[in-house]
Amino acid sequence: MTDFGSRTGFVGSVLDGDEGLLVLRGAQDGDVAPRVAEHLRTLLVAGARHVRVDARGASGLGADLLPVLGRIQTRLNLRRGVLTVSGLRLDAVARVAAA
């Protein structure tokens, strides 16, 4: 991996039974939406029915994250599950400056 150590933000997930947790912390870069999508897909494949996203303390999150969360909620609905999100603040200024 050539960019090891270049990211300042953290994206991580864990599954406990049918409960998934995705944690975002720190300054995120432009590829955060695909990284979040991959973690969420992995949780669903592993059997998560309820997923909590904790974005407290994360910055640099853009509107490109919203369709990812919407698709996951749709998939969880089929399982009679739910997606809950806390601490999500969209930073449109960071997205425009990064482009």
Side-chain angles (χ1 to χ4, degrees):
M1 177 170 9
T2 59
D3 67 345
F4 183 74
S6 66
R7 292 186 177 134
T8 57
F10 171 80
V11 178
S13 58
V14 65
L15 181 69
D16 184 13
D18 68 351
E19 306 269 335
L21 171 64
L22 174 74
V23 176
L24 295 105
R25 294 289 187 268
Q28 300 294 324
D29 53 19
D31 73 341
V32 68
R35 289 174 35 216
V36 166
E38 185 60 30
H39 277 270
L40 291 171
R41 277 191 301 270
T42 300
L43 288 171
L44 290 180
V45 167
R49 205 177 100 199
H50 305 290
V51 176
R52 183 167 46 110
V53 176
D54 181 352
R56 291 174 291 166
S59 62
L61 302 173
D64 54 342
L65 199 54
L66 296 178
V68 171
L69 298 175
R71 284 190 299 272
I72 295 301
Q73 178 59 68
T74 298
R75 290 180 66 187
L76 288 169
N77 285 345
L78 297 173
R79 299 177 183 197
R80 297 181 187 243
V82 68
L83 173 72
T84 57
V85 180
S86 61
L88 180 65
R89 290 176 294 121
L90 299 181
D91 191 356
V93 174
R95 287 283 170 241
V96 171

